[in-house]
Amino acid sequence: MKKFFALIALLGMFTFGANNVVFADNQLEGDSAATEQVDTAEAVEEVVEEAALVEEAPAEVIEESRSFHQVIKQKFIEGGPSFMGIVLICLILGLALCIERIIYLNKATTNTEKLLSDVENALNSGGIDSAKDICRNTAGPIASIFYQGLDRSKEGIDVVEKSVIAYGSVQMGLLERGLSWISLFIALAPMLGFMGTVIGMINAFDRIEAAGDMQPSLVAGGIKIALLTTVFGLIVAIILQVFYNYIVAKIDSIVNDMEDASITLIDILSAQKK
């Protein structure tokens, strides 16, 4: 009987131990599953964060890759086509006149020393007609003035001097042709910008009056348009002013060469008369 109870006790101990082992295994499996779920959730969160960064990256790249031309285009559209278009026309016409004047003045520039040397050698070797041929085949206002002076050399030095002065005035007028229009566009561009400023402010105050309340959103649009038109008008005026000053300096240089060369030509002809 004692052996029977001892056997039952041993069977109970083995059964209880097996249950503990199974329970422990299940608990370990649950802990590992929970750990795997936590790891999976963290991995999903990391993937979501990386995807968000990837989506934000192109926007930042696009924002950084905007060129200066695109910014100017956007601001031009925001300023409104009414006055911005007129300011743009002033810029185009002014630049066209400036480019035409620069090309003309570059063609009018002559190597004065070489021309004087050729004319003097022609006078010594072939006479007036040979010197006139050289002036006729040379481009520029200085050669034209020399031709007019040589053409009247038989009438005396006084007549040659008067002819050179008169024709020099004509050539100076040709050099300065179109400058008045460039000056007009220089003055007109900022004036149009200021007019756009005034109109933008008037529109802003009209919105405030209609709304009956001064809100920043109502005023911001009109003030923005006003400032953009002013900025573009000033930019156009600055660009044209730079070209205008260059053209004026170029004309002054050519006129000085004309005066010096004319005095030298008269001296050469005076020496030939003697």
Side-chain angles (χ1 to χ4, degrees):
M1 191 69 181
K2 293 180 179 178
K3 292 181 180 180
F4 178 75
F5 285 113
L7 182 60
I8 292 173
L10 289 173
L11 289 174
M13 291 174 64
F14 282 118
T15 304
F16 181 73
N19 290 331
N20 289 334
V21 171
V22 172
F23 179 74
D25 291 337
N26 292 333
Q27 187 175 3
L28 290 174
E29 290 178 358
D31 293 339
S32 62
T35 305
E36 290 178 357
Q37 290 179 356
V38 172
D39 294 337
T40 304
E42 291 179 354
V44 171
E45 290 180 357
E46 291 179 358
V47 171
V48 171
E49 291 178 357
E50 292 178 357
L53 292 175
V54 170
E55 291 179 356
E56 292 176 358
E60 295 177 355
V61 171
I62 293 172
E63 186 69 23
E64 293 177 357
S65 63
R66 290 179 62 190
S67 62
F68 178 76
H69 177 267
Q70 292 175 344
V71 174
I72 293 296
K73 182 179 179 181
Q74 180 182 357
K75 298 300 181 183
F76 182 86
I77 295 172
E78 291 177 356
S82 57
F83 283 95
M84 300 294 279
I86 300 174
V87 174
L88 181 61
I89 291 173
C90 291
L91 176 62
I92 294 172
L93 294 178
L95 285 178
L97 291 172
C98 290
I99 293 171
E100 186 272 334
R101 282 293 90 192
I102 291 172
I103 294 173
Y104 180 84
L105 294 175
N106 287 331
K107 290 183 178 179
T109 304
T110 308
N111 190 348
T112 308
E113 294 180 358
K114 183 177 182 303
L115 179 61
L116 283 170
S117 178
D118 293 340
V119 169
E120 187 175 5
N121 293 332
L123 286 173
N124 294 328
S125 60
I128 298 296
D129 293 334
S130 179
K132 287 169 64 176
D133 290 337
I134 292 175
C135 294
R136 189 184 297 110
N137 295 326
T138 304
I142 297 176
S144 299
I145 292 172
F146 281 9
Y147 182 84
Q148 295 296 324
L150 293 170
D151 192 38
R152 292 168 175 79
S153 60
K154 296 180 181 180
E155 300 177 6
I157 298 299
D158 293 336
V159 177
V160 171
E161 186 175 357
K162 292 179 181 178
S163 176
V164 167
I165 293 173
Y167 201 71
S169 299
V170 174
Q171 291 296 322
M172 187 181 299
L174 294 175
L175 293 174
E176 295 177 348
R177 184 179 59 188
L179 288 182
S180 59
W181 288 103
I182 299 175
S183 300
L184 174 64
F185 292 131
I186 292 173
L188 191 61
M191 291 173 63
L192 290 172
F194 294 147
M195 184 179 294
T197 299
V198 174
I199 292 176
M201 296 299 293
I202 292 173
N203 291 332
F205 285 113
D206 287 340
R207 293 177 183 177
I208 294 172
E209 183 181 4
D213 185 13
M214 186 173 180
Q215 298 178 359
S217 60
L218 296 175
V219 186
I223 294 177
K224 184 178 182 180
I225 294 174
L227 295 178
L228 286 175
T229 54
T230 302
V231 168
F232 274 86
L234 293 175
I235 290 173
V236 170
I238 290 171
I239 293 172
L240 295 180
Q241 186 68 50
V242 172
F243 282 99
Y244 179 83
N245 289 344
Y246 172 78
I247 292 169
V248 170
K250 189 74 173 176
I251 291 173
D252 291 340
S253 177
I254 295 174
V255 169
N256 290 331
D257 291 340
M258 287 167 53
E259 293 176 353
D260 293 339
S262 299
I263 293 172
T264 305
L265 177 65
I266 292 172
D267 293 339
I268 293 172
L269 292 176
S270 300
Q272 290 288 327
K273 294 293 182 181
K274 296 179 181 179

